[in-house]
């Protein structure tokens, strides 16, 4: 990861600090409803992760902790990590207010092995996460570093195919605009509020996003010593996209009149089988 990547990540971190303030009171996150009870995890996540009662769980890129606290309500012993100071402060406050046994640590993914000594039975991350990371090889090494032997990593995320299409608000047809294959330099986008509130005022003018292919994702985890248990490609996403249509299940799918189909989302599980030949057992740092 080069010096420019550090600068881009710092800009993104400032953006997420601003977004946290917006998201705390947004209708999109509906925090007051979450405080009243229940979990925000998806049905397929619950099925594929399984029973977490009593298990130690590390949630990478946790934002302000709604999913982390959902795992706590299901009986896990979660630790949430995010690089946004405001997000971690809000998450810590929520855990205290709701009397849930969860801890939160401010760190970017790459520095985490330097500040956290624990190992975990589950490492989890979900929805809109890897595009903020410049180096997936180091990301995978960090995941492997924190897993106990026999522990597993689980991710749900937008499929790399989703990100190649033009997603401007006035788009009505599928049109390829962005690259599929990874490259070291990020894409730069003018900031337009937040995905939770596009009309919100934001000072940080640009957000940066790195392109990652499915081959890169799977290969990085395998090279870190993890066994890929499954990769499920799914035909929907969990958030609004201009060229998709929302169905009764609340998810967004390709319109019925589109010829053909493409994967839009995926879930993946990978297990630490105890290999000792990882590139760097300190997490790639």
């Amino acid at each position: 990861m080069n010096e420019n990547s550090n600068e881009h990540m710092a800009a993104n971190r400032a953006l997420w600090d601003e977004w946290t303030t917006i998201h705390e009171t947004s209708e999109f996150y509906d925090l007051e409803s979450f405080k009243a009870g229940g979990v925000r995890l998806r049905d397929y996540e619950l099925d594929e992760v399984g029973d977490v009662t009593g298990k130690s769980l590390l949630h990478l890129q946790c934002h302000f902790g709604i999913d982390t606290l959902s795992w706590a309500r299901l009986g896990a012993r979660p630790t949430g990590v995010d690089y946004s100071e405001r997000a971690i402060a809000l998450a810590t406050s929520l855990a205290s207010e709701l009397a849930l046994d969860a801890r939160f640590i401010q760190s970017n993914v790459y520095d985490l092995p330097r500040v956290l000594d624990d190992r975990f039975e589950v490492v989890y991350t979900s929805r809109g996460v890897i595009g903020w990371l410049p180096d997936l090889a180091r990301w995978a090494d960090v995941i492997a570093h924190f897993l106990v032997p026999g522990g597993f990593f689980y991710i749900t995320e937008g499929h790399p195919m989703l990100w190649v299409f033009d997603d401007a608000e006035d788009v009505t047809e599928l049109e390829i605009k962005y690259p599929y294959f990874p490259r070291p330099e990020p894409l730069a986008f003018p900031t337009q509020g937040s995905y939770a509130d596009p009309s919100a005022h934001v000072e940080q003018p640009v957000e940066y996003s790195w392109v990652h292919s499915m081959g890169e994702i799977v290969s990085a985890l395998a090279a870190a010593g993890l066994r890929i248990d499954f990769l499920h490609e799914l035909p929907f996403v969990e958030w609004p996209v201009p060229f998709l249509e929302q169905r009764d299940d609340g998810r967004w799918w390709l319109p019925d009149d589109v010829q053909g189909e493409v994967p839009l989302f995926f879930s993946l599980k990978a297990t630490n089988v105890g290999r000792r030949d990882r590139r760097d057992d300190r997490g790639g740092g």
Side-chain angles (χ1 to χ4, degrees), residues 148-164:
V148 300
F152 66 85
F153 169 64
Y154 180 82
I155 178 174
T156 61
E157 175 63 290
H159 196 286
M161 278 298 300
L162 171 68
W163 309 118
V164 306

Side-chain angles (χ1 to χ4, degrees), residues 233-244:
E233 297 174 293
L234 305 169
F236 58 80
V237 296
E238 299 282 359
W239 55 85
V241 178
F243 56 82
L244 302 179

Side-chain angles (χ1 to χ4, degrees), residues 68-129:
T68 318
L69 296 172
S70 293
W71 289 118
R73 281 175 169 166
L74 292 170
R77 296 180 288 110
T79 296
V81 177
D82 199 276
Y83 65 180
S84 166
E85 181 178 2
R86 291 185 190 175
I88 290 300
L90 177 56
T92 301
S93 174
L94 286 172
S96 176
E97 178 183 349
L98 300 175
L100 291 171
D101 184 13
R103 64 174 172 173
F104 293 92
I105 297 172
Q106 182 190 353
S107 175
N108 72 52
V109 169
Y110 303 121
D111 291 340
L112 190 58
R114 300 186 181 97
V115 299
L116 180 63
D117 292 331
D118 297 7
R119 298 295 186 271
F120 297 86
E121 294 164 277
V122 181
V123 176
Y124 165 85
T125 192
S126 182
R127 294 184 297 280
V129 286

Side-chain angles (χ1 to χ4, degrees), residues 207-260:
E207 64 176 88
Y208 298 96
S209 178
W210 284 269
V211 174
H212 301 297
S213 68
M214 186 59 73
E216 184 191 14
I217 296 166
V218 171
S219 296
L221 294 168
L226 303 184
R227 181 193 67 210
I228 306 301
D229 297 318
F230 61 72
L231 168 62
H232 296 152
E233 297 174 293
L234 305 169
F236 58 80
V237 296
E238 299 282 359
W239 55 85
V241 178
F243 56 82
L244 302 179
E245 293 181 351
Q246 189 175 23
R247 294 188 181 175
D248 292 342
D249 62 4
R251 295 165 178 158
W252 280 260
W253 302 66
L254 285 173
D256 291 337
D257 60 358
V258 170
Q259 297 297 313

Side-chain angles (χ1 to χ4, degrees), residues 12 25 39 47 55 85 114 128 224 245 277-278 283:
N12 284 343
T25 58
V39 301
D47 289 342
K55 290 186 177 181
E85 181 178 2
R114 300 186 181 97
E245 293 181 351
D277 58 343
R278 296 175 187 152

